[in-house]
Amino acid sequence: MHMWGHGSEFRKGPDSLKGTQPAAMLRLPCYCCAQGCKNNINHPRAKPLKDFRTLQTHYKRKHGAKPFMCRKCSKSFAVKGDWRTHEKNCGKLWYCTCGSDFKHKRSLKDHIRSFGKGHSPHPSHEGFVEDEKECVTGSDEDEVAHT
């Protein structure tokens, strides 16, 4: 039904809503229908989302129900992938040899890039690789307090 608002070429009845849409239709810039949202077409600085799938994820994250809950800290999530990633790393910290700690591997990488010499991942981070997608942490869950 959202796509029907993009023009009459998308108003093809109930079958147009069953995932049989052409790929080009999924790539149209889309605006959020939630009033007050910065991605709503009526917002003074409206910013469209790049495609329909991005719109779906945006709507779930910002305006939808959040049925997935972290079993460690009780934070809730609307997107299952966000929940899985969070729960896998919840309460773990990334350490620099300078003693600083970070909640996210990306933050440690940025810190090392910014300060350079004398800063590197703590030796307990075995397998720390710049392009590695899987996170490896060197902290024990017992030693880290949840924030």
Side-chain angles (χ1 to χ4, degrees):
M1 287 171 54
H2 164 83
M3 294 307 294
W4 293 352
H6 284 285
S8 59
E9 67 270 24
F10 302 114
R11 294 186 197 122
K12 297 180 179 164
D15 289 337
S16 67
L17 302 175
K18 293 184 180 175
T20 58
Q21 303 96 331
M25 188 164 139
L26 295 174
R27 287 191 291 270
L28 286 175
C30 297
Y31 288 91
C32 181
C33 59
Q35 292 300 319
C37 179
K38 69 177 182 172
N39 299 105
N40 182 287
I41 198 162
N42 296 322
H43 190 276
R45 289 181 290 235
K47 183 178 177 190
L49 296 148
K50 71 176 188 167
D51 57 30
F52 185 65
R53 290 183 205 259
T54 306
L55 171 65
Q56 287 176 312
T57 304
H58 159 82
Y59 195 86
K60 283 181 188 178
R61 283 182 178 139
K62 301 294 181 182
H63 312 294
K66 296 183 177 186
F68 306 104
M69 186 177 288
C70 176
R71 291 173 284 209
K72 296 176 185 176
C73 71
S74 300
K75 183 174 180 179
S76 57
F77 296 87
V79 179
K80 195 172 191 176
D82 294 347
W83 165 68
R84 282 184 177 160
T85 300
H86 168 86
E87 197 167 78
K88 182 175 76 175
N89 296 301
C90 182
K92 295 180 182 176
L93 294 176
W94 291 89
Y95 294 95
C96 178
T97 51
C98 74
S100 298
D101 58 67
F102 303 89
K103 285 185 176 182
H104 304 283
K105 181 179 180 180
R106 173 89 253 153
S107 300
L108 173 58
K109 286 182 182 180
D110 292 345
H111 169 81
I112 292 167
R113 192 176 305 114
S114 295
F115 293 99
K117 192 173 182 179
H119 295 267
S120 61
H122 192 273
S124 64
H125 297 302
E126 294 176 30
F128 185 94
V129 179
E130 279 296 313
D131 295 329
E132 186 181 334
K133 289 189 180 198
E134 193 65 30
C135 293
V136 178
T137 61
S139 62
D140 293 333
E141 288 182 35
D142 302 339
E143 296 176 2
V144 180
H146 293 347
T147 55

